[in-house]
C-alpha cells in the first residue's frame, strides 16, 4: 500500500471492525480573496463498500454550511499502489475558507489521501508605465508591441506592486543605426 510518491499518507480505514465512522480532515483557515482561480489538487485511493462515501467540501467558517466539491461513491478510485490525482476548483474571492475531507463508512473499507496542494493565480499584478527619452510616447502595457523608434532611444519601465506599494524601474536602450548607402 503506497501513494504516488511512496511518501506517508492519510488513511481512514473502517474495514473490518464494523463500527460507524465519520472521520474528517479539516484544513487550517485560508483566503481566496484576490485570486482569479484557486485549485485544490490531491492524490487518493478510495475503496468503496456497500454503504460508504468520500466527500471533499468547503466552508466559509469551518463549522457549518459545508458545500460539496467532489463526492466518491459506488466505485473505487485508484489502487493501493497507484493513487489517482484529482483537481477541484475552489471558490474565489472568499476572505475565509476551510477544506474538509470526510469519509463516512460503516464497515466499508478506506480512503487514502496524499500530497494535498492548493495553488492559485493572483488577481493583482504590478502596474507598469513605459516612457522614452526622445518623445512623449508612453504605454501601460507590460510588453508593448509595435514600437519602432527613428533614433536611438532609451525606454524606461516604472512599476509598482499594488499589494506592497513597492516600486522600481528598469531601462533598455534601442540603438538605431543609419541605413546603409547601397552601392551599385
Amino acid at each position: 500500500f503506497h501513494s504516488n510518491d511512496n511518501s506517508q499518507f492519510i488513511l481512514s480505514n473502517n474495514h473490518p471492525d464494523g463500527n460507524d465512522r465519520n472521520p474528517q480532515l479539516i484544513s487550517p483557515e485560508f483566503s481566496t480573496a484576490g485570486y482569479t482561480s484557486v485549485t485544490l489538487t490531491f492524490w487518493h485511493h478510495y475503496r468503496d463498500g456497500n454503504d460508504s462515501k468520500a466527500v471533499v467540501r468547503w466552508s466559509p467558517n469551518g463549522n457549518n454550511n459545508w458545500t460539496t466539491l467532489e463526492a466518491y461513491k459506488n466505485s473505487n478510485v485508484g489502487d493501493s499502489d497507484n493513487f489517482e490525482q484529482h483537481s477541484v476548483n475552489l471558490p474565489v474571492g472568499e476572505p475565509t475558507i476551510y477544506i474538509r475531507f470526510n469519509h463516512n463508512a460503516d464497515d466499508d473499507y478506506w480512503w487514502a489521501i496524499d500530497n494535498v496542494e492548493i495553488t492559485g493565480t493572483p488577481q493583482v499584478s504590478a502596474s507598469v508605465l513605459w516612457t522614452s527619452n526622445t518623445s512623449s510616447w508612453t504605454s501601460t502595457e507590460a510588453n508593448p508591441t509595435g514600437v519602432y523608434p527613428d533614433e536611438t532611444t532609451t525606454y524606461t519601465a516604472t512599476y509598482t506592486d499594488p499589494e506592497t506599494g513597492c516600486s522600481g524601474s528598469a531601462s533598455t536602450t534601442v540603438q538605431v543605426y543609419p541605413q546603409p548607402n547601397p552601392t551599385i
Side-chain angles (χ1 to χ4, degrees):
F1 210 114
H2 60 85
S3 70
N4 59 302
D5 65 354
N6 291 317
S7 63
Q8 291 183 350
F9 56 89
I10 296 165
L11 175 69
S12 168
N13 184 5
N14 185 247
H15 189 72
D17 67 9
N19 294 323
D20 269 344
R21 296 218 178 148
N22 191 21
Q24 301 175 27
L25 175 64
I26 300 175
S27 74
E29 166 187 323
F30 63 97
S31 173
T32 62
Y35 286 85
T36 58
S37 67
V38 180
T39 304
L40 166 69
T41 304
F42 58 97
W43 291 80
H44 71 137
H45 165 48
Y46 172 63
R47 170 107 188 251
D48 188 58
N50 295 326
D51 198 23
S52 66
K53 64 181 173 181
V55 184
V56 182
R57 295 183 169 112
W58 82 274
S59 169
N61 59 22
N63 295 321
N64 300 312
N65 304 323
W66 291 97
T67 301
T68 299
L69 296 165
E70 288 281 317
Y72 308 97
K73 184 171 175 58
N74 300 326
S75 64
N76 296 337
V77 177
D79 261 315
S80 60
D81 62 352
N82 187 24
F83 282 33
E84 193 171 297
Q85 186 180 36
H86 280 251
S87 294
V88 180
N89 291 328
L90 299 178
V92 294
E94 295 291 331
T96 304
I97 187 172
Y98 294 84
I99 301 298
R100 179 174 77 182
F101 293 88
N102 183 203
H103 180 221
N104 190 323
D106 182 7
D107 192 23
D108 283 336
Y109 300 101
W110 55 76
W111 191 20
I113 302 167
D114 197 14
N115 297 315
V116 177
E117 183 177 56
I118 297 172
T119 57
T121 303
Q123 197 171 41
V124 294
S125 60
S127 60
V128 177
L129 174 62
W130 283 94
T131 58
S132 74
N133 69 334
T134 60
S135 70
S136 61
W137 175 87
T138 62
S139 176
T140 56
E141 294 179 43
N143 297 299
T145 59
V147 181
Y148 304 102
D150 293 331
E151 58 186 308
T152 299
T153 304
T154 300
Y155 295 95
T156 303
T158 304
Y159 50 91
T160 303
D161 183 324
E163 288 189 25
T164 64
C166 294
S167 63
S169 65
S171 297
T172 187
T173 300
V174 177
Q175 182 73 40
V176 176
Y177 294 100
Q179 289 194 8
N181 243 345
T183 55
I184 300 181

